[in-house]
Amino acid sequence: DVKVTQSSRYLVKRTGEKVFLECVQDMDHENMFWYRQDPGLGLRLIYFSYDVKMKEKGDIPEGYSVSREKKERFSLILESASTNQTSMYLCASLTGSSGANVLTFGAGSRLTVL
Amino acid sequence: GENVEQHPSTLSVQEGDSAVIKCTYSDSASNYFPWYKQELGKGPQLIIDIRSNVGEKKDQRIAVTLNKTAKHFSLHITETQPEDSAVYFCAASGDWTGTASKLTFGTGTRLQVTL
């Protein structure tokens, strides 16, 4: 079975701290994604990566950056955390090609910024 | 870009009844429409999807219908059971581009199945 693992389920950070959210997939997938989930707003795409060292901005990239040094690992970085970045963060990996855009999600990382 | 609207935001049904969740999309180029189910404490998981060359697709108690002219698609769950209680997300995307075809998600529907 396909697996996407997010290393931290719950984090509490202070305003201004640098935060790393790690995601690892075991399927040799090229495409990986970071979404943010907020009540009433659904899932919004922050960044995605279609290959090692390649990245593209999603719909809400401001305040975030990403790193993809190895194919299996995609990290989301908050350079200086702010309270409005308190949210659930979901990492996903893309299965299939040519029309089957099936995302496999991790269990999520709930970040609280105080 | 694509915009997906989803209704209702919450839905409560009695066990055994049917549930319907509706979505509309804005980009006529979208041709792939999946539905994801998110159980408590888990990430969303694909439960059914439909492509634009098909009007309806069924998988046991769940079915999805698509009206391309009106740009809307719906999820139908029959004979609901307590384990159907979850948050459901619709999504839409265009053709696979070889880089990454972005899915745009709706805002989610919290379905509660009561005994």
Side-chain angles (χ1 to χ4, degrees):
Chain A
D1 249 2
V2 161
K3 202 162 183 185
V4 175
T5 304
Q6 293 181 235
S7 53
S8 303
R9 291 298 305 272
Y10 300 94
L11 302 96
V12 179
K13 299 292 181 180
R14 295 209 174 272
T15 302
E17 278 192 79
K18 191 169 185 175
V19 182
F20 292 87
L21 299 180
E22 305 285 345
C23 175
V24 176
Q25 50 102 352
D26 65 356
M27 301 155 286
D28 202 36
H29 288 162
E30 292 174 348
N31 296 280
M32 296 185 73
F33 303 77
W34 275 105
Y35 285 88
R36 173 176 170 160
Q37 180 177 6
D38 298 288
L41 297 177
L43 305 176
R44 294 179 293 165
L45 182 63
I46 305 171
Y47 264 99
F48 64 97
S49 169
Y50 51 91
D51 203 349
V52 174
K53 296 191 189 294
M54 307 303 285
K55 60 187 179 185
E56 280 196 31
K57 293 180 181 179
D59 300 315
I60 52 163
E62 296 78 20
Y64 303 95
S65 62
V66 290
S67 172
R68 184 105 181 262
E69 296 296 319
K70 292 185 178 181
K71 197 174 188 180
E72 66 270 19
R73 187 179 298 270
F74 190 35
S75 302
L76 181 69
I77 303 158
L78 287 67
E79 293 288 342
S80 177
S82 63
T83 54
N84 62 12
Q85 291 178 311
T86 290
S87 187
M88 170 69 85
Y89 291 89
L90 291 164
C91 175
S93 172
L94 187 70
T95 300
S97 62
S98 192
N101 300 344
V102 180
L103 292 174
T104 298
F105 284 89
S109 298
R110 183 165 294 281
L111 172 66
T112 301
V113 183
L114 302 175
Chain B
E2 176 65 275
N3 181 49
V4 178
E5 294 191 0
Q6 182 172 348
H7 299 282
S9 56
T10 60
L11 180 59
S12 182
V13 300
Q14 286 210 324
E15 184 180 4
D17 287 350
S18 295
V20 180
I21 303 169
K22 298 183 178 182
C23 289
T24 61
Y25 62 98
S26 61
D27 188 350
S28 55
S30 289
N31 59 10
Y32 176 67
F33 307 93
W35 286 87
Y36 283 78
K37 175 184 180 182
Q38 185 179 27
E39 296 175 342
L40 202 60
K42 297 183 179 180
Q45 186 172 11
L46 179 74
I47 54 171
I48 194 167
D49 56 11
I50 193 168
R51 300 200 61 79
S52 59
N53 57 350
V54 176
E56 184 173 355
K57 186 175 177 181
K58 217 173 177 182
D59 183 4
Q60 299 183 350
R61 293 186 299 107
I62 60 173
V64 57
T65 58
L66 171 65
N67 183 328
K68 277 220 78 176
T69 305
K71 289 195 221 150
H72 70 71
F73 56 113
S74 301
L75 177 72
H76 304 254
I77 306 173
T78 58
E79 298 170 27
T80 53
Q81 300 168 5
E83 53 265 37
D84 295 328
S85 296
V87 178
Y88 292 81
F89 293 98
C90 63
S93 78
D95 280 331
W96 174 256
T97 63
T99 55
S101 185
K102 295 187 299 178
L103 277 172
T104 299
F105 284 86
T107 50
T109 297
R110 183 173 296 278
L111 174 63
Q112 181 76 42
V113 179
T114 57
L115 296 172

mmCIF file of all heavy atoms in Angstrom, chain B residues 49-91:
data_model
loop_
_atom_site.group_PDB
_atom_site.id
_atom_site.type_symbol
_atom_site.label_atom_id
_atom_site.label_comp_id
_atom_site.label_asym_id
_atom_site.label_seq_id
_atom_site.Cartn_x
_atom_site.Cartn_y
_atom_site.Cartn_z
ATOM 1 N N ASP B 49 -14.317 8.657 -8.485
ATOM 2 C CA ASP B 49 -14.017 9.765 -9.381
ATOM 3 C C ASP B 49 -14.748 9.554 -10.700
ATOM 4 O O ASP B 49 -15.234 8.466 -11.007
ATOM 5 C CB ASP B 49 -12.515 9.935 -9.600
ATOM 6 C CG ASP B 49 -11.835 8.674 -10.132
ATOM 7 O OD1 ASP B 49 -12.543 7.727 -10.536
ATOM 8 O OD2 ASP B 49 -10.588 8.613 -10.124
ATOM 9 N N ILE B 50 -14.858 10.626 -11.464
ATOM 10 C CA ILE B 50 -15.551 10.555 -12.749
ATOM 11 C C ILE B 50 -14.841 11.455 -13.749
ATOM 12 O O ILE B 50 -14.304 12.508 -13.378
ATOM 13 C CB ILE B 50 -17.053 10.943 -12.595
ATOM 14 C CG1 ILE B 50 -17.840 10.574 -13.850
ATOM 15 C CG2 ILE B 50 -17.212 12.412 -12.237
ATOM 16 C CD1 ILE B 50 -19.350 10.661 -13.662
ATOM 17 N N ARG B 51 -14.833 11.031 -15.001
ATOM 18 C CA ARG B 51 -14.232 11.839 -16.038
ATOM 19 C C ARG B 51 -15.349 12.435 -16.898
ATOM 20 O O ARG B 51 -16.486 11.970 -16.883
ATOM 21 C CB ARG B 51 -13.284 10.982 -16.875
ATOM 22 C CG ARG B 51 -12.169 10.378 -16.044
ATOM 23 C CD ARG B 51 -11.000 9.954 -16.912
ATOM 24 N NE ARG B 51 -10.408 11.072 -17.618
ATOM 25 C CZ ARG B 51 -9.568 11.936 -17.072
ATOM 26 N NH1 ARG B 51 -9.226 11.816 -15.808
ATOM 27 N NH2 ARG B 51 -9.062 12.915 -17.772
ATOM 28 N N SER B 52 -14.992 13.449 -17.659
ATOM 29 C CA SER B 52 -16.021 14.248 -18.330
ATOM 30 C C SER B 52 -16.729 13.497 -19.455
ATOM 31 O O SER B 52 -17.773 13.940 -19.923
ATOM 32 C CB SER B 52 -15.417 15.533 -18.876
ATOM 33 O OG SER B 52 -14.373 15.236 -19.782
ATOM 34 N N ASN B 53 -16.182 12.378 -19.905
ATOM 35 C CA ASN B 53 -16.843 11.631 -20.974
ATOM 36 C C ASN B 53 -17.882 10.634 -20.439
ATOM 37 O O ASN B 53 -18.464 9.860 -21.194
ATOM 38 C CB ASN B 53 -15.803 10.891 -21.827
ATOM 39 C CG ASN B 53 -14.935 9.958 -21.012
ATOM 40 O OD1 ASN B 53 -14.970 9.983 -19.774
ATOM 41 N ND2 ASN B 53 -14.155 9.141 -21.678
ATOM 42 N N VAL B 54 -18.105 10.708 -19.125
ATOM 43 C CA VAL B 54 -19.066 9.820 -18.470
ATOM 44 C C VAL B 54 -20.063 10.656 -17.683
ATOM 45 O O VAL B 54 -19.674 11.635 -17.040
ATOM 46 C CB VAL B 54 -18.333 8.848 -17.520
ATOM 47 C CG1 VAL B 54 -19.312 7.987 -16.749
ATOM 48 C CG2 VAL B 54 -17.363 7.976 -18.308
ATOM 49 N N GLY B 55 -21.345 10.288 -17.719
ATOM 50 C CA GLY B 55 -22.346 11.067 -17.005
ATOM 51 C C GLY B 55 -22.611 10.585 -15.597
ATOM 52 O O GLY B 55 -23.039 11.357 -14.742
ATOM 53 N N GLU B 56 -22.343 9.289 -15.365
ATOM 54 C CA GLU B 56 -22.626 8.732 -14.045
ATOM 55 C C GLU B 56 -21.699 7.551 -13.794
ATOM 56 O O GLU B 56 -21.325 6.820 -14.719
ATOM 57 C CB GLU B 56 -24.082 8.261 -13.971
ATOM 58 C CG GLU B 56 -24.494 7.742 -12.599
ATOM 59 C CD GLU B 56 -25.982 7.432 -12.510
ATOM 60 O OE1 GLU B 56 -26.716 7.698 -13.473
ATOM 61 O OE2 GLU B 56 -26.409 6.946 -11.456
ATOM 62 N N LYS B 57 -21.347 7.385 -12.523
ATOM 63 C CA LYS B 57 -20.500 6.247 -12.147
ATOM 64 C C LYS B 57 -20.967 5.762 -10.785
ATOM 65 O O LYS B 57 -21.281 6.576 -9.898
ATOM 66 C CB LYS B 57 -19.035 6.671 -12.098
ATOM 67 C CG LYS B 57 -18.049 5.551 -11.853
ATOM 68 C CD LYS B 57 -16.631 6.101 -11.945
ATOM 69 C CE LYS B 57 -15.600 5.042 -11.649
ATOM 70 N NZ LYS B 57 -14.222 5.594 -11.723
ATOM 71 N N LYS B 58 -20.989 4.458 -10.627
ATOM 72 C CA LYS B 58 -21.501 3.890 -9.383
ATOM 73 C C LYS B 58 -20.511 2.884 -8.803
ATOM 74 O O LYS B 58 -19.825 2.165 -9.532
ATOM 75 C CB LYS B 58 -22.814 3.169 -9.678
ATOM 76 C CG LYS B 58 -23.862 3.275 -8.607
ATOM 77 C CD LYS B 58 -25.178 2.681 -9.082
ATOM 78 C CE LYS B 58 -26.198 2.725 -7.978
ATOM 79 N NZ LYS B 58 -27.468 2.131 -8.344
ATOM 80 N N ASP B 59 -20.433 2.856 -7.474
ATOM 81 C CA ASP B 59 -19.605 1.872 -6.785
ATOM 82 C C ASP B 59 -20.318 1.498 -5.503
ATOM 83 O O ASP B 59 -20.242 2.203 -4.505
ATOM 84 C CB ASP B 59 -18.216 2.444 -6.490
ATOM 85 C CG ASP B 59 -17.303 1.423 -5.837
ATOM 86 O OD1 ASP B 59 -17.705 0.256 -5.680
ATOM 87 O OD2 ASP B 59 -16.173 1.787 -5.469
ATOM 88 N N GLN B 60 -21.052 0.415 -5.547
ATOM 89 C CA GLN B 60 -21.838 -0.076 -4.421
ATOM 90 C C GLN B 60 -22.832 1.002 -3.964
ATOM 91 O O GLN B 60 -23.718 1.350 -4.723
ATOM 92 C CB GLN B 60 -20.912 -0.538 -3.292
ATOM 93 C CG GLN B 60 -20.014 -1.689 -3.746
ATOM 94 C CD GLN B 60 -19.123 -2.223 -2.642
ATOM 95 O OE1 GLN B 60 -19.003 -1.658 -1.568
ATOM 96 N NE2 GLN B 60 -18.486 -3.350 -2.912
ATOM 97 N N ARG B 61 -22.663 1.539 -2.764
ATOM 98 C CA ARG B 61 -23.657 2.493 -2.267
ATOM 99 C C ARG B 61 -23.364 3.943 -2.660
ATOM 100 O O ARG B 61 -24.137 4.837 -2.332
ATOM 101 C CB ARG B 61 -23.721 2.405 -0.730
ATOM 102 C CG ARG B 61 -24.263 1.093 -0.206
ATOM 103 C CD ARG B 61 -24.437 1.141 1.299
ATOM 104 N NE ARG B 61 -23.178 1.373 2.009
ATOM 105 C CZ ARG B 61 -22.851 2.519 2.591
ATOM 106 N NH1 ARG B 61 -23.677 3.554 2.569
ATOM 107 N NH2 ARG B 61 -21.685 2.630 3.225
ATOM 108 N N ILE B 62 -22.279 4.188 -3.312
ATOM 109 C CA ILE B 62 -21.970 5.560 -3.700
ATOM 110 C C ILE B 62 -22.016 5.718 -5.224
ATOM 111 O O ILE B 62 -21.706 4.783 -5.967
ATOM 112 C CB ILE B 62 -20.607 6.046 -3.163
ATOM 113 C CG1 ILE B 62 -19.471 5.160 -3.681
ATOM 114 C CG2 ILE B 62 -20.610 6.083 -1.650
ATOM 115 C CD1 ILE B 62 -18.090 5.710 -3.309
ATOM 116 N N ALA B 63 -22.442 6.886 -5.653
ATOM 117 C CA ALA B 63 -22.527 7.188 -7.079
ATOM 118 C C ALA B 63 -22.196 8.655 -7.268
ATOM 119 O O ALA B 63 -22.385 9.481 -6.368
ATOM 120 C CB ALA B 63 -23.921 6.891 -7.616
ATOM 121 N N VAL B 64 -21.659 8.967 -8.430
ATOM 122 C CA VAL B 64 -21.378 10.357 -8.777
ATOM 123 C C VAL B 64 -22.007 10.637 -10.129
ATOM 124 O O VAL B 64 -21.980 9.793 -11.032
ATOM 125 C CB VAL B 64 -19.861 10.641 -8.774
ATOM 126 C CG1 VAL B 64 -19.131 9.723 -9.719
ATOM 127 C CG2 VAL B 64 -19.566 12.085 -9.077
ATOM 128 N N THR B 65 -22.639 11.810 -10.237
ATOM 129 C CA THR B 65 -23.226 12.243 -11.507
ATOM 130 C C THR B 65 -22.552 13.530 -11.938
ATOM 131 O O THR B 65 -22.121 14.329 -11.105
ATOM 132 C CB THR B 65 -24.734 12.465 -11.380
ATOM 133 O OG1 THR B 65 -24.982 13.451 -10.359
ATOM 134 C CG2 THR B 65 -25.452 11.186 -11.001
ATOM 135 N N LEU B 66 -22.470 13.732 -13.249
ATOM 136 C CA LEU B 66 -21.818 14.908 -13.804
ATOM 137 C C LEU B 66 -22.692 15.516 -14.883
ATOM 138 O O LEU B 66 -23.162 14.819 -15.785
ATOM 139 C CB LEU B 66 -20.461 14.526 -14.398
ATOM 140 C CG LEU B 66 -19.720 15.576 -15.215
ATOM 141 C CD1 LEU B 66 -19.322 16.759 -14.337
ATOM 142 C CD2 LEU B 66 -18.497 14.980 -15.897
ATOM 143 N N ASN B 67 -22.901 16.816 -14.787
ATOM 144 C CA ASN B 67 -23.606 17.571 -15.821
ATOM 145 C C ASN B 67 -22.636 18.618 -16.350
ATOM 146 O O ASN B 67 -22.434 19.659 -15.743
ATOM 147 C CB ASN B 67 -24.860 18.239 -15.238
ATOM 148 C CG ASN B 67 -25.675 18.978 -16.285
ATOM 149 O OD1 ASN B 67 -25.135 19.508 -17.257
ATOM 150 N ND2 ASN B 67 -26.983 19.015 -16.104
ATOM 151 N N LYS B 68 -22.013 18.325 -17.478
ATOM 152 C CA LYS B 68 -20.985 19.227 -18.019
ATOM 153 C C LYS B 68 -21.571 20.543 -18.502
ATOM 154 O O LYS B 68 -20.933 21.581 -18.431
ATOM 155 C CB LYS B 68 -20.253 18.529 -19.166
ATOM 156 C CG LYS B 68 -19.159 17.609 -18.730
ATOM 157 C CD LYS B 68 -17.934 17.701 -19.620
ATOM 158 C CE LYS B 68 -17.102 18.924 -19.309
ATOM 159 N NZ LYS B 68 -15.867 18.998 -20.090
ATOM 160 N N THR B 69 -22.775 20.487 -19.019
ATOM 161 C CA THR B 69 -23.402 21.716 -19.521
ATOM 162 C C THR B 69 -23.600 22.712 -18.392
ATOM 163 O O THR B 69 -23.306 23.902 -18.508
ATOM 164 C CB THR B 69 -24.742 21.399 -20.185
ATOM 165 O OG1 THR B 69 -24.527 20.420 -21.199
ATOM 166 C CG2 THR B 69 -25.370 22.644 -20.798
ATOM 167 N N ALA B 70 -24.096 22.202 -17.268
ATOM 168 C CA ALA B 70 -24.371 23.064 -16.125
ATOM 169 C C ALA B 70 -23.150 23.236 -15.233
ATOM 170 O O ALA B 70 -23.174 24.025 -14.294
ATOM 171 C CB ALA B 70 -25.530 22.498 -15.314
ATOM 172 N N LYS B 71 -22.108 22.498 -15.507
ATOM 173 C CA LYS B 71 -20.870 22.516 -14.715
ATOM 174 C C LYS B 71 -21.161 22.174 -13.255
ATOM 175 O O LYS B 71 -20.752 22.905 -12.348
ATOM 176 C CB LYS B 71 -20.172 23.877 -14.827
ATOM 177 C CG LYS B 71 -19.546 24.114 -16.188
ATOM 178 C CD LYS B 71 -18.577 25.277 -16.134
ATOM 179 C CE LYS B 71 -18.742 26.097 -17.389
ATOM 180 N NZ LYS B 71 -18.455 27.492 -17.235
ATOM 181 N N HIS B 72 -21.856 21.085 -13.040
ATOM 182 C CA HIS B 72 -21.995 20.629 -11.676
ATOM 183 C C HIS B 72 -21.960 19.109 -11.608
ATOM 184 O O HIS B 72 -22.251 18.403 -12.575
ATOM 185 C CB HIS B 72 -23.201 21.244 -10.965
ATOM 186 C CG HIS B 72 -24.536 20.786 -11.438
ATOM 187 N ND1 HIS B 72 -25.051 19.530 -11.222
ATOM 188 C CD2 HIS B 72 -25.502 21.477 -12.070
ATOM 189 C CE1 HIS B 72 -26.257 19.466 -11.730
ATOM 190 N NE2 HIS B 72 -26.558 20.609 -12.261
ATOM 191 N N PHE B 73 -21.541 18.627 -10.443
ATOM 192 C CA PHE B 73 -21.444 17.198 -10.200
ATOM 193 C C PHE B 73 -21.841 16.923 -8.752
ATOM 194 O O PHE B 73 -21.750 17.810 -7.895
ATOM 195 C CB PHE B 73 -20.041 16.644 -10.523
ATOM 196 C CG PHE B 73 -18.889 17.294 -9.823
ATOM 197 C CD1 PHE B 73 -18.140 16.599 -8.886
ATOM 198 C CD2 PHE B 73 -18.496 18.606 -10.124
ATOM 199 C CE1 PHE B 73 -17.062 17.175 -8.252
ATOM 200 C CE2 PHE B 73 -17.419 19.184 -9.495
ATOM 201 C CZ PHE B 73 -16.698 18.468 -8.558
ATOM 202 N N SER B 74 -22.339 15.725 -8.531
ATOM 203 C CA SER B 74 -22.913 15.412 -7.217
ATOM 204 C C SER B 74 -22.474 14.035 -6.744
ATOM 205 O O SER B 74 -22.230 13.138 -7.550
ATOM 206 C CB SER B 74 -24.446 15.434 -7.280
ATOM 207 O OG SER B 74 -24.926 16.690 -7.687
ATOM 208 N N LEU B 75 -22.423 13.892 -5.434
ATOM 209 C CA LEU B 75 -22.129 12.605 -4.793
ATOM 210 C C LEU B 75 -23.415 12.123 -4.129
ATOM 211 O O LEU B 75 -24.058 12.889 -3.413
ATOM 212 C CB LEU B 75 -21.028 12.761 -3.745
ATOM 213 C CG LEU B 75 -20.671 11.493 -2.953
ATOM 214 C CD1 LEU B 75 -19.928 10.506 -3.846
ATOM 215 C CD2 LEU B 75 -19.816 11.841 -1.728
ATOM 216 N N HIS B 76 -23.763 10.874 -4.393
ATOM 217 C CA HIS B 76 -24.962 10.298 -3.812
ATOM 218 C C HIS B 76 -24.552 9.083 -2.974
ATOM 219 O O HIS B 76 -23.855 8.193 -3.489
ATOM 220 C CB HIS B 76 -25.930 9.837 -4.910
ATOM 221 C CG HIS B 76 -26.312 10.918 -5.865
ATOM 222 N ND1 HIS B 76 -27.554 11.519 -5.862
ATOM 223 C CD2 HIS B 76 -25.613 11.524 -6.858
ATOM 224 C CE1 HIS B 76 -27.603 12.435 -6.812
ATOM 225 N NE2 HIS B 76 -26.440 12.462 -7.438
ATOM 226 N N ILE B 77 -24.972 9.073 -1.726
ATOM 227 C CA ILE B 77 -24.715 7.917 -0.864
ATOM 228 C C ILE B 77 -26.074 7.353 -0.463
ATOM 229 O O ILE B 77 -26.912 8.068 0.098
ATOM 230 C CB ILE B 77 -23.923 8.297 0.395
ATOM 231 C CG1 ILE B 77 -22.641 9.039 0.030
ATOM 232 C CG2 ILE B 77 -23.603 7.052 1.215
ATOM 233 C CD1 ILE B 77 -21.886 9.591 1.223
ATOM 234 N N THR B 78 -26.314 6.092 -0.792
ATOM 235 C CA THR B 78 -27.583 5.460 -0.430
ATOM 236 C C THR B 78 -27.382 4.569 0.793
ATOM 237 O O THR B 78 -26.257 4.161 1.110
ATOM 238 C CB THR B 78 -28.130 4.618 -1.585
ATOM 239 O OG1 THR B 78 -27.152 3.633 -1.930
ATOM 240 C CG2 THR B 78 -28.423 5.483 -2.807
ATOM 241 N N GLU B 79 -28.499 4.307 1.467
ATOM 242 C CA GLU B 79 -28.494 3.421 2.649
ATOM 243 C C GLU B 79 -27.338 3.780 3.597
ATOM 244 O O GLU B 79 -26.503 2.938 3.945
ATOM 245 C CB GLU B 79 -28.373 1.962 2.206
ATOM 246 C CG GLU B 79 -29.541 1.518 1.341
ATOM 247 C CD GLU B 79 -29.299 0.139 0.707
ATOM 248 O OE1 GLU B 79 -28.545 -0.667 1.290
ATOM 249 O OE2 GLU B 79 -29.856 -0.106 -0.371
ATOM 250 N N THR B 80 -27.305 5.022 4.023
ATOM 251 C CA THR B 80 -26.186 5.508 4.823
ATOM 252 C C THR B 80 -26.013 4.703 6.112
ATOM 253 O O THR B 80 -26.989 4.203 6.710
ATOM 254 C CB THR B 80 -26.359 7.000 5.179
ATOM 255 O OG1 THR B 80 -27.651 7.186 5.780
ATOM 256 C CG2 THR B 80 -26.222 7.878 3.945
ATOM 257 N N GLN B 81 -24.741 4.598 6.509
ATOM 258 C CA GLN B 81 -24.370 3.864 7.723
ATOM 259 C C GLN B 81 -23.525 4.779 8.599
ATOM 260 O O GLN B 81 -22.948 5.752 8.101
ATOM 261 C CB GLN B 81 -23.592 2.605 7.331
ATOM 262 C CG GLN B 81 -24.407 1.661 6.445
ATOM 263 C CD GLN B 81 -23.571 0.563 5.821
ATOM 264 O OE1 GLN B 81 -22.389 0.425 6.109
ATOM 265 N NE2 GLN B 81 -24.203 -0.226 4.981
ATOM 266 N N PRO B 82 -23.429 4.494 9.889
ATOM 267 C CA PRO B 82 -22.634 5.358 10.779
ATOM 268 C C PRO B 82 -21.203 5.575 10.281
ATOM 269 O O PRO B 82 -20.650 6.660 10.449
ATOM 270 C CB PRO B 82 -22.672 4.606 12.112
ATOM 271 C CG PRO B 82 -23.957 3.864 12.072
ATOM 272 C CD PRO B 82 -24.145 3.449 10.639
ATOM 273 N N GLU B 83 -20.621 4.564 9.650
ATOM 274 C CA GLU B 83 -19.240 4.702 9.161
ATOM 275 C C GLU B 83 -19.115 5.649 7.961
ATOM 276 O O GLU B 83 -18.004 5.961 7.525
ATOM 277 C CB GLU B 83 -18.631 3.336 8.822
ATOM 278 C CG GLU B 83 -19.456 2.497 7.890
ATOM 279 C CD GLU B 83 -20.353 1.504 8.631
ATOM 280 O OE1 GLU B 83 -20.881 1.870 9.717
ATOM 281 O OE2 GLU B 83 -20.530 0.392 8.118
ATOM 282 N N ASP B 84 -20.255 6.097 7.428
ATOM 283 C CA ASP B 84 -20.208 7.113 6.373
ATOM 284 C C ASP B 84 -19.985 8.509 6.956
ATOM 285 O O ASP B 84 -19.724 9.459 6.208
ATOM 286 C CB ASP B 84 -21.511 7.117 5.561
ATOM 287 C CG ASP B 84 -21.715 5.833 4.783
ATOM 288 O OD1 ASP B 84 -20.710 5.215 4.359
ATOM 289 O OD2 ASP B 84 -22.886 5.426 4.624
ATOM 290 N N SER B 85 -20.114 8.654 8.261
ATOM 291 C CA SER B 85 -19.889 9.958 8.912
ATOM 292 C C SER B 85 -18.438 10.378 8.708
ATOM 293 O O SER B 85 -17.506 9.651 9.074
ATOM 294 C CB SER B 85 -20.195 9.870 10.413
ATOM 295 O OG SER B 85 -21.557 9.588 10.633
ATOM 296 N N ALA B 86 -18.260 11.546 8.085
ATOM 297 C CA ALA B 86 -16.922 12.026 7.725
ATOM 298 C C ALA B 86 -17.081 13.390 7.051
ATOM 299 O O ALA B 86 -18.200 13.883 6.881
ATOM 300 C CB ALA B 86 -16.238 11.053 6.770
ATOM 301 N N VAL B 87 -15.955 13.962 6.667
ATOM 302 C CA VAL B 87 -15.972 15.165 5.833
ATOM 303 C C VAL B 87 -15.676 14.741 4.400
ATOM 304 O O VAL B 87 -14.739 13.982 4.150
ATOM 305 C CB VAL B 87 -14.940 16.201 6.309
ATOM 306 C CG1 VAL B 87 -14.955 17.422 5.393
ATOM 307 C CG2 VAL B 87 -15.217 16.604 7.753
ATOM 308 N N TYR B 88 -16.496 15.206 3.472
ATOM 309 C CA TYR B 88 -16.355 14.866 2.071
ATOM 310 C C TYR B 88 -15.935 16.102 1.271
ATOM 311 O O TYR B 88 -16.498 17.185 1.445
ATOM 312 C CB TYR B 88 -17.667 14.313 1.518
ATOM 313 C CG TYR B 88 -18.023 12.976 2.106
ATOM 314 C CD1 TYR B 88 -18.626 12.877 3.356
ATOM 315 C CD2 TYR B 88 -17.734 11.790 1.427
ATOM 316 C CE1 TYR B 88 -18.942 11.656 3.917
ATOM 317 C CE2 TYR B 88 -18.051 10.553 1.973
ATOM 318 C CZ TYR B 88 -18.648 10.499 3.221
ATOM 319 O OH TYR B 88 -18.956 9.275 3.768
ATOM 320 N N PHE B 89 -14.961 15.918 0.394
ATOM 321 C CA PHE B 89 -14.481 17.000 -0.470
ATOM 322 C C PHE B 89 -14.657 16.609 -1.930
ATOM 323 O O PHE B 89 -14.281 15.503 -2.327
ATOM 324 C CB PHE B 89 -12.991 17.271 -0.244
ATOM 325 C CG PHE B 89 -12.662 17.831 1.106
ATOM 326 C CD1 PHE B 89 -12.209 17.005 2.123
ATOM 327 C CD2 PHE B 89 -12.786 19.192 1.362
ATOM 328 C CE1 PHE B 89 -11.895 17.523 3.374
ATOM 329 C CE2 PHE B 89 -12.470 19.716 2.602
ATOM 330 C CZ PHE B 89 -12.032 18.875 3.612
ATOM 331 N N CYS B 90 -15.202 17.519 -2.717
ATOM 332 C CA CYS B 90 -15.178 17.347 -4.159
ATOM 333 C C CYS B 90 -13.966 18.097 -4.705
ATOM 334 O O CYS B 90 -13.381 18.938 -4.015
ATOM 335 C CB CYS B 90 -16.457 17.855 -4.804
ATOM 336 S SG CYS B 90 -16.755 19.642 -4.585
ATOM 337 N N ALA B 91 -13.592 17.793 -5.928
ATOM 338 C CA ALA B 91 -12.451 18.462 -6.540
ATOM 339 C C ALA B 91 -12.595 18.427 -8.054
ATOM 340 O O ALA B 91 -13.376 17.630 -8.597
ATOM 341 C CB ALA B 91 -11.132 17.816 -6.110
#
